[in-house]
Amino acid sequence: MEQSISPTMTPRGKGGHVGHVLRMITCVLTAGFAYPNAFVEGMDLTALQNKTQGQLYDKSKKGSDKSRF
C-alpha cells in the first residue's frame, strides 16, 4: 500500500509525537531560535490557505475594467 504525501506539507521530524512535543517546548524556551518551524510540522499550509481565502484571489472578468478610473 502506497501513501500519498503532499509535496507542500512539511513532514513531521524524527522522534514522532514525543519528539515533536519536545521540539515545541524547546522552541518556546529559546524564543523561537531553536526549531523555529516546530509548530507547523506536519501541516499542509498551502491547503489551509486555499481553504480559508475563499474567492479572494480568484480572477473574475466582472469589475476588472480599468478604463472607468
Side-chain angles (χ1 to χ4, degrees):
M1 184 180 252
E2 194 175 311
Q3 277 187 333
S4 63
I5 298 175
S6 173
T8 59
M9 185 176 81
T10 306
R12 189 166 285 196
K14 295 180 179 179
H17 186 66
V18 175
H20 182 222
V21 170
L22 291 174
R23 283 189 296 279
M24 290 171 62
I25 292 170
T26 305
C27 178
V28 170
L29 293 176
T30 63
F33 286 105
Y35 307 112
N37 297 323
F39 286 89
V40 294
E41 282 183 11
M43 294 176 68
D44 190 354
L45 299 176
T46 303
L48 183 64
Q49 179 184 0
N50 289 337
K51 182 177 138 184
T52 58
Q53 77 183 10
Q55 298 176 354
L56 183 62
Y57 296 108
D58 290 349
K59 292 182 180 179
S60 69
K61 294 178 183 172
K62 182 179 178 184
S64 64
D65 184 20
K66 294 181 181 179
S67 64
R68 63 183 173 160
F69 293 110

